Amino acid sequence: MEETRNRLSLTPVLLLTAILACAGCGKEPAGQNAAAKAGGPKPIVVGSFLSLTGPTATFGRTTQQGIALAVQERNAAGGVSGRPVQVLFRDNQGKTQETGTVVERLITADHVVALLGEVASTQSLTAAPIAQQYGVPMISPSSTNPAVTQVGNMIFRTCFIDPDQGYAVARFAYDNLKARKAAVLYDQRQAYSVGLRDAFTGWFKKMGGTITAVEAYSSGDSDYSAQLGRIRDGHPDVIYIPGYYTEVGTIAIQARNLGLKMPLLGSDGWESPKLTEIAGNALDGCYYSNHYAPEDDSPQSKAFVAAYRQAYGTTPGALAALGYDAANLLFDAMTRAQSLDGKDLAQAIAQTRGFVGVTGTITMGPDRNPKNKSMVILEIKNGQPTYVTRIQPPDEK
Amino acid sequence: MNDLFQTFVAGLRLGCIYGLVALGYTMVYGVLRFINFAHGDIVMVGAWLCFIVARAMHWTGFTAHPPLYAAAFVLLISMTACALLGWLTERLAYRPLRRAPRLNVLIAAIGVSLFIENAGQLRFLFGTEPQAMPSLLPRAQTALITLLGVRITVLDVVIGLLAVGLMIALDILVFRTRLGLAMRAVAFDDAAAALTGVPVNRVVGMTFIIGSALAAAGGFIFATEYHNLQQPAEMSWILLGLKAFVAAVVGGIGNIRGAMVGGLLLALLEQFGGRYVSNDLRDVYVFAILILVLLVKPGGIMGAQVTEKV
C-alpha cells in the first residue's frame, strides 16, 4: 500500500520533469557556422551575446542578421588573412544574470578572440567588466549609454552615445517643432533610458526650454494613466519617452485616450516593427532619433540594403546596420592587428581611422567611441518611420 | 474634479482584474489551505490564449474587423481552456500530495508556476516577443457617456459588467447552490465533509476549474484593456499575480467577498497614490498595505465577521 502511494505521487512529478526537459531542448542557442566544419585553416572564433529571445528579442535578432551577413560576405571574400571567421551566437534572453553566464562561457570555454554585443546598455554594462577582466576586446554595436566604454580599454562601440542622442532630439524639438515646454517619461529600470532623460533635460533647458514634468515607469508596466495624468497638468508641447518599443506603443495609446494630442518624441529604442504593430495609428506624427535610415543614398548603404533584402527578404533597420558595421570594423582591425591577442587586437580597433561603414564613417576617439557620428530623425507616418533630417552632434560637450 | 474621477475610473479598471484574479487565490486557499502560486500564470495563459484565438481567426492587425461575437467567443475559449488547465494542475500536481505536508504542495505549486512560465516561451505556444492585442469590440474606444469630463468608453462598460457579473455569479454559486454548500463544507472540515458524503475530490476539482476560469476572464480584461501582452512571464505577469495575491490577503484570505473588495481597494490605492503622491512608489503602496494589514488585522479587512471559508 505504502509503495503504491509513493509511486502515485511520483508519476506526475516525473511527467512534469520530462516535459520540462523537452521544453529545454527547444531553447538551445542557434547552431554554429558551417565554415568551421570544412577543412582548411582554423577559423577565427568570435563570440556574440544577444537577446535572441525575451522582451527585446527583435533587437537581438536583427543585430544577429546584420552580423551574420557581414560574416558571410567576409568568408566568401576569403575571410581574415586567409582564415575563415566563425561567430558563436549566444542568447541571454534579455536577462542580466544570463548575460554574465553566457559571456563568461564564451571567453573561458569557447576561447573567443573578441566579443560582439549587446544592444541594451544594461546588458553591455554587465558584460563589459568580464571582457575587460579577461582582456578580450568587446565591441557593442548599439549600446549608447556612455558608461559602457568607460569600463576599460577593451570596450568599444560603433554607435553614437546618449548625450549626443538626447541633444539631437532636444535640438529637433526646439528648432524644428518650436517646442518650448517638454515633459519626460522614462523607464527607471533601464540605464539607457535614465541616461537619455538626463541628456535631453540638460540640453533642452540649456536651449531655453522648460521641463514641465519628469515621470518614471518600469519595463513591463501596463498602466500609465497616473504618470500621463501628472504630465497633462503641465500642458507640455512634446513628451519625450526614451524607452523601448515594448512599452512605448501602449503608452502612446493611453496618452491618446487621455486626450494628450502633442507629438511624442523617442530614441533608437523605438526601432522595431513591433512598435507600430502595438500602437496602431497612435504614434502617427511622432518622431525618434536613430542611427540610420534605409533611405540613405550612400553606395555602402545601398549595397547593404540590397544584400540584406536578398538574404532576409526585409528592409534592414538601424540595429542590423550597426551589427553589420561592428562585425566589419572588427574584421578590419583583425587584418591590421599584429596578432589576435587581446591587447594587439584592442590596439588595432582603437587605431581605426576613417572606416567607411553603412551607418557613417567611423574614426575611434580616445574614449573608444566613434567621433562625430551624425544622427537621423525619423517621423512615423501611417505606421512607417520616414527620414526627416540629419543632426550633427554638439560641438561643446 | 475631472482628474479625480479619471483616476477613480482607472482604479476601477485595474481593480476588476485584481479582484477576478484574487478570487482564485482565495478560493483555493479556502478549500485546501495553501497558496496556489501557479494561479498568476493561469492569468498569463488566459490573456495569451485570447490573442492566439484572435490571431487564428485573423481578428488581429490593422485591417481586421472582428465580428460582434468575437469577444464572447474568445473569452469562452480562453475560460474553458484555463479551466481545463487549472483542473489538470490540481489533478496531476496537487491531488497526489493532498496528504503530504503543506510545504510539499507549496513547492509543487512553485514548480507548476515555473513550468507554465517556461513552457509558455516555446515558439509554438506564446513565443518570447511582446504582442499587440487588438480590441475585439467594435468601436471599443468610443465614449458611451462623458461623465464629469471623463470618457466612459464602450470597453469600460463591457469590462465592468463582465467583472461584476462574474463576481455576483460566483457569490450566488457559493452561497445559494448545493455545489457551493459542498465547497463551504470542505473548506470547513474536509474529513467531516467526506464522512457526510461530500465528494471531496470533485469539489476541489470544481474549485480549481472555477478559479482558473475567473483568472482567464481577468486575463481577457487585461489583454483588451492594455493591448500589450508581454513575454517572458517575469516581465509583467508575475507582479500582477503577486498583487492579486496581496489583494486576497488584504481582503481576508479564504473570503470571496473580501477578495473583490481587496482587489478594488488595492487598485484604487495604487492609482491615487501614483497620481497624487509619487508614481515611483506605486508597488511600494501595495506591499506596504500588505504589511500593515498583517500587523493590524491579520485576518484581512473582511476576515473577522465571516466564518465560512471558501
Side-chain angles (χ1 to χ4, degrees), chain A residues 12 54 61 227 230 233 246, chain B residues 92 128-129 228 234 275 279:
Chain A
R61 281 205 218 118
Q227 295 98 313
R230 291 167 82 101
D233 294 346
T246 33
Chain B
L92 294 178
T128 53
E129 283 180 42
N228 190 5
E234 59 260 41
R275 177 69 183 85
N279 190 71

Side-chain angles (χ1 to χ4, degrees), chain B residues 138-162:
Chain B
R139 291 187 297 281
Q141 291 298 348
T142 35
L144 206 64
I145 30 165
T146 305
L147 208 64
L148 298 169
V150 177
R151 294 165 68 244
I152 309 286
T153 62
V154 175
L155 185 67
D156 290 335
V157 174
V158 171
I159 283 173
L161 287 179
L162 174 69

Side-chain angles (χ1 to χ4, degrees), chain A residues 226-363:
Chain A
Q227 295 98 313
L228 291 168
R230 291 167 82 101
I231 284 174
R232 190 171 56 178
D233 294 346
H235 303 285
D237 302 322
V238 291
I239 307 176
Y240 184 48
I241 314 175
Y244 290 136
Y245 64 90
T246 33
E247 284 86 20
V248 169
T250 319
I251 294 175
I253 295 174
Q254 291 183 14
R256 300 312 183 215
N257 285 345
L258 283 172
L260 293 159
K261 300 227 165 10
M262 64 288 279
L264 310 180
L265 308 177
S267 47
D268 59 334
W270 285 27
E271 171 77 10
S272 168
K274 285 265 172 235
L275 178 74
T276 46
E277 210 178 289
I278 294 169
N281 54 10
L283 278 171
D284 279 352
C286 297
Y287 304 86
Y288 66 97
S289 55
N290 209 350
H291 306 266
Y292 163 80
E295 292 95 331
D296 198 331
D297 50 7
S298 74
Q300 285 76 21
S301 170
K302 274 185 179 162
F304 168 68
V305 172
Y308 193 92
R309 278 214 181 108
Q310 205 192 350
Y312 305 111
T314 53
T315 307
L319 296 172
L322 283 168
Y324 183 81
D325 276 0
N328 276 325
L329 187 136
L330 177 65
F331 302 154
D332 172 68
M334 281 173 174
T335 56
R336 287 184 286 109
Q338 285 175 333
S339 77
L340 291 181
D341 210 46
K343 222 182 240 168
D344 291 340
L345 188 53
Q347 199 188 357
I349 301 172
Q351 285 166 347
T352 302
R353 300 280 176 276
F355 169 85
V356 184
V358 174
T359 60
T361 303
I362 297 171
T363 294

